[in-house]
Every structure is written in C-alpha cells, then in structure tokens.
Amino acid sequence: RTAKIWDTLTGRLLLTLRGHTNWVRACAFSPDGTRVVTASFDETARVWNAENGTLLLVLEGHTSYVLGCAFSPDGKRIITASVDEKARVFSAETGECQLTIEGEHTRLITCCCFSH
C-alpha cells in the first residue's frame, strides 16, 4: 500500500508514498526525475511529486490489478498494463486516458514501456 524512495548511496529513506489501497506492484521515475508513477493492485496508478511525496494524479479506468507503468521519453504520457488485458495511455499532466489498447492480448499484461 506504500512505495518508498531511498537514497541508493546512503541507504537513507527519503519518502514514503501513501495512498494506494492495495499492494504496489511497480513504479517508475519520470525522465526528468521530478515525478514517480506507481501501479497497484487497487486498479489504479498514481503520480507523485518525487521531491515531497505529494499525490498529483490518480489514473483510473482499469478493471483489475495494474501490474506495470512507465513514462514516455518526453514525460508527457504514462502507459499502464493490467490484468484486465488492456494497456492504457494517460496524459501525465491531466490524468486523462488518451488511449486504451485492447483486443490484442488474451491474457493479463504484466509490463509496458515506450520506445525511444
């Protein structure tokens, strides 16, 4: 239900991101390092300020566990992957779902990414 950000040089805990209502399955930093997206079994992905842990957006629309998430190389979009056999592309600024990719997978989708 939480994600933690650690300093990998010192091992010091920097932030605890609280807000999901079920296990957090995946996370990714934005290309500029200012935001973090987390994917959860609560059927949402959430976008956080990486400096202070403030919740910025809740990405909704999946009907089952969200297993993967990633920012686009320009940081403007986020893709999510779910047990509901769909991938969704969201605006990283507004949280609006811009595209639902469905019908190509007949089983759960465990990960996702953008090409460069």
Side-chain angles (χ1 to χ4, degrees), residues 37-86:
V37 60
T38 53
S40 172
F41 279 21
D42 68 7
E43 302 179 4
T44 71
R46 294 173 188 249
V47 181
W48 313 83
N49 179 303
E51 295 262 330
N52 61 26
T54 301
L55 178 63
L56 302 174
L57 297 168
V58 178
L59 309 179
E60 298 178 301
H62 285 292
T63 58
S64 191
Y65 302 155
V66 182
L67 302 179
C69 56
F71 276 92
S72 62
D74 63 6
K76 293 182 179 180
R77 295 174 294 155
I78 295 168
I79 189 166
T80 56
S82 175
V83 172
D84 68 10
E85 302 173 6
K86 295 179 179 84

Side-chain angles (χ1 to χ4, degrees), residues 2-46:
T2 64
K4 294 180 184 272
I5 298 176
W6 303 84
D7 182 315
T8 58
L9 295 177
T10 66
R12 191 179 71 133
L13 176 64
L14 300 175
L15 289 173
T16 300
L17 307 175
R18 290 182 174 86
H20 283 291
T21 60
N22 207 327
W23 294 334
V24 175
R25 173 65 169 77
C27 62
F29 277 91
S30 61
D32 64 5
T34 62
R35 294 168 291 163
V36 176
V37 60
T38 53
S40 172
F41 279 21
D42 68 7
E43 302 179 4
T44 71
R46 294 173 188 249

